[in-house]
Amino acid sequence: MSYRVKLDAFEGPLDLLLHLIEKEEIDIYDIPIAHITQQYLQYLATMQELDLEVTSDFLVMAATLLEIKARWLLPSPPASGGEENVPPADPREELVERLLEYKRYKEAAEYLRQREEQMRHCVPRPVTDILVADGLNQMPQLQVSLPELIKALRDVLARMNQSEEAMELEREKITVAQKMGEILDQIAINRRGLAFSEFFSPRASKLEVVVTFLALLELIRRRRVVVRQGQLFGPIMVYPV
Amino acid sequence: MSVLFPEEAKAAIECLLFVAVKPLSIAELTELVGLPADDVQELLVQLGQEYNRNKHGFHLTRVGNGYRLCTRPEYYPYVEKLNKSGPTGLSAAALETLAIIAYKQPITRGEIELIRGVKVDRLLTNLMERGLIKEVGRKEVPGRPILYGTTEQFLWHFGLRDLAELPELEE
């Protein structure tokens, strides 16, 4: 191997290219495309030898590099229409733009990393309240067990208007994401919490009930709401976080 | 509740900062202690000065538009001894993605992927779960892709007052 890098340490093909450019001390505005393409492909080959997965992003970039190289080496077709002699566009231009833009955000990310490091040394009081989303990857504490939730859902379904002659109205398409928004809006107005059953209108279709239930579960998972049961067999209440 | 004397109001604010689980804004404190915003601001300044003057182990910091108490960085070694494992920082991939969103919001997943050159769908889910980014709408183009932006929690995480505090991008 001509060079050794920590394999798999790159955030993507652009990151790898930047690394190669810096390592070879190349002027980013004048990339020796054949050379860098060779280096890049060599790296991919090494990854494959080591049985590391070469993701499609890396392969797409390899194809891009080869295409640029081909256009770079081939004489450009004569300009049609006898126009002024416009210099042909540099096929590397777009790649350079992308590399520069990526580099800017990589630097911004480094700034964020430093800020994060400083913040790590400035610790707030630990959160004792389990109802709080603290952004740590702990599972939300369910104040209500899943069976109890399911039972509440069954009650809702049982209460539903199940008369046979219910009119089939045009089915509204409602997504879980929409429903989540609705629930959050409802709860924002009622900060003291709402009973679980209040989210289900008696005239809701079965589909809507299921979607609502899924939306609630998703909100619990994302710790945007919390459900609690004040007393045994009491109503299940949903609170904003 | 009866009207508070200044000293009591200051203590009340201190007590709220102590129990709060997130930074408290002037507006929130104003409502909680029932004093005009100017007075609350003044009492916060006084509290901050007292913590500094007496070299307390914690100080008052401002993040986002809120205030909170946190340990002084110079005593972090002791904190570390107490909490064997501190919070781990975000991954490089997460930081890159956040940087792009912070500067270019509102932005779609596709636009982020174009800049980073890699897929970011799983990362976005993860950042949403951590409350660092949120959906801020939809782009009015075919398919109406979701637009993402950073949250107040993002500011807290990095100790920023607002997005304007981010450095200019190099040209």
Side-chain angles (χ1 to χ4, degrees):
Chain A
M1 247 173 79
S2 58
Y3 61 92
R4 299 176 51 163
V5 289
K6 194 166 145 248
L7 286 153
D8 219 17
F10 296 110
E11 292 307 324
L14 289 166
D15 201 21
L16 168 57
L17 273 180
L18 272 184
H19 166 83
L20 294 173
I21 286 167
E22 276 161 27
K23 189 174 69 80
E24 309 261 322
E25 294 178 349
I26 286 167
D27 173 8
I28 200 163
Y29 292 100
D30 188 17
I31 300 174
I33 199 78
H35 176 68
I36 212 83
T37 303
Q38 187 204 358
Q39 293 274 300
Y40 184 91
L41 293 173
Q42 207 169 29
Y43 174 82
L44 293 199
T46 311
M47 273 180 84
Q48 277 166 329
E49 272 167 41
L50 296 173
D51 272 343
L52 289 166
E53 192 200 357
V54 177
T55 53
S56 57
D57 327 308
F58 282 94
L59 298 174
V60 170
M61 179 56 76
T64 309
L65 287 170
L66 288 167
E67 191 207 350
I68 294 172
K69 182 177 148 188
R71 280 197 286 155
W72 183 244
L73 297 176
L74 289 171
S76 52
S80 56
E83 288 286 316
E84 290 295 304
N85 271 342
V86 188
D90 188 332
R92 302 172 300 176
E93 202 172 347
E94 195 189 337
L95 179 67
V96 171
E97 284 294 318
R98 285 190 68 191
L99 280 169
L100 286 172
E101 179 158 55
Y102 175 70
K103 193 162 177 257
R104 280 199 285 272
Y105 290 108
K106 205 170 139 73
E107 280 156 10
E110 175 54 25
Y111 170 79
L112 287 181
R113 198 193 57 74
Q114 287 167 9
R115 294 289 306 222
E116 186 185 44
E117 184 64 19
Q118 286 166 8
M119 284 307 284
R120 258 174 28 104
H121 295 177
C122 183
V123 185
R125 224 169 47 81
V127 173
T128 50
D129 191 337
I130 43 180
L131 305 184
V132 171
D134 55 1
L136 296 177
N137 287 341
Q138 62 201 29
M139 281 303 289
Q141 296 258 357
L142 249 192
Q143 309 277 307
V144 177
S145 70
L146 195 57
E148 281 173 316
L149 269 181
I150 303 272
K151 183 185 164 301
L153 178 69
R154 271 213 305 273
D155 293 347
V156 169
L157 286 167
R159 267 213 334 268
M160 266 172 55
N161 186 352
Q162 300 207 331
S163 63
E164 289 300 314
E165 62 242 306
M167 283 170 43
E168 265 300 323
L169 290 173
E170 185 147 339
R171 174 171 296 179
E172 277 190 70
K173 273 222 172 74
I174 176 134
T175 66
V176 173
Q178 277 172 326
K179 204 71 207 176
M180 280 163 64
E182 279 177 33
I183 292 171
L184 286 175
D185 289 345
Q186 274 171 289
I187 275 192
I189 305 164
N190 301 285
R191 296 206 60 88
R192 289 165 169 260
L194 276 170
F196 177 82
S197 55
E198 297 208 36
F199 293 101
F200 303 92
S201 100
R203 282 181 308 285
S205 65
K206 203 166 260 187
L207 177 73
E208 193 179 341
V209 171
V210 171
V211 168
T212 306
F213 188 64
L214 287 175
L216 270 168
L217 287 181
E218 183 62 21
L219 288 170
I220 294 167
R221 190 176 75 86
R222 292 191 188 185
R223 291 197 292 272
R224 302 289 301 274
V225 305
V226 61
V227 288
R228 275 194 287 192
Q229 200 167 17
Q231 66 257 43
L232 200 58
F233 309 121
I236 291 178
M237 299 294 289
V238 184
Y239 299 93
V241 168
Chain B
M1 258 189 336
S2 55
V3 176
L4 294 167
F5 288 104
E7 277 310 308
E8 286 178 319
K10 199 196 296 184
I13 290 174
E14 184 177 45
C15 140
L16 290 168
L17 291 167
F18 176 74
V19 297
V21 289
K22 64 172 194 56
L24 293 171
S25 68
I26 301 247
E28 284 168 318
L29 286 166
T30 300
E31 187 172 338
L32 289 163
V33 297
L35 284 177
D38 290 356
D39 294 6
V40 170
Q41 175 92 49
E42 169 58 25
L43 291 170
L44 280 169
V45 170
Q46 286 181 26
L47 278 173
Q49 284 170 345
E50 283 167 31
Y51 299 143
N52 290 344
R53 200 167 45 234
N54 304 325
K55 267 290 175 211
H56 278 265
F58 54 84
H59 60 166
L60 185 64
T61 54
R62 187 180 150 189
V63 285
N65 65 355
Y67 292 82
R68 76 170 169 201
L69 300 173
C70 68
T71 60
R72 282 187 194 280
E74 54 263 49
Y75 302 116
Y76 182 70
Y78 299 97
V79 177
E80 211 171 16
K81 270 186 179 167
L82 176 69
N83 304 336
K84 290 289 182 287
S85 60
T88 48
L90 291 161
S91 68
L95 288 168
E96 272 180 28
T97 307
L98 274 176
I100 292 167
I101 297 172
Y103 280 93
K104 299 205 68 154
Q105 59 188 312
I107 184 168
T108 66
R109 191 187 80 195
E111 289 162 342
I112 300 167
E113 288 177 346
L114 208 59
I115 296 175
R116 285 200 61 221
V118 289
K119 291 235 169 299
V120 297
D121 38 2
R122 283 206 3 235
L123 254 175
L124 290 181
T125 310
N126 199 318
L127 291 172
M128 295 262 290
E129 277 174 8
R130 293 184 75 144
L132 295 166
I133 60 169
K134 59 176 187 243
E135 297 178 6
V136 293
R138 301 228 167 209
K139 190 164 184 160
E140 291 308 333
V141 295
R144 301 184 70 242
I146 295 168
L147 288 163
Y148 295 93
T150 52
T151 59
E152 182 84 357
Q153 176 116 353
F154 165 85
L155 297 175
W156 301 342
H157 186 90
F158 295 102
L160 296 161
R161 288 186 178 202
D162 51 45
L163 292 168
E165 219 185 313
L166 293 171
E168 297 267 313
L169 286 180
E170 307 258 330
E171 263 315 314

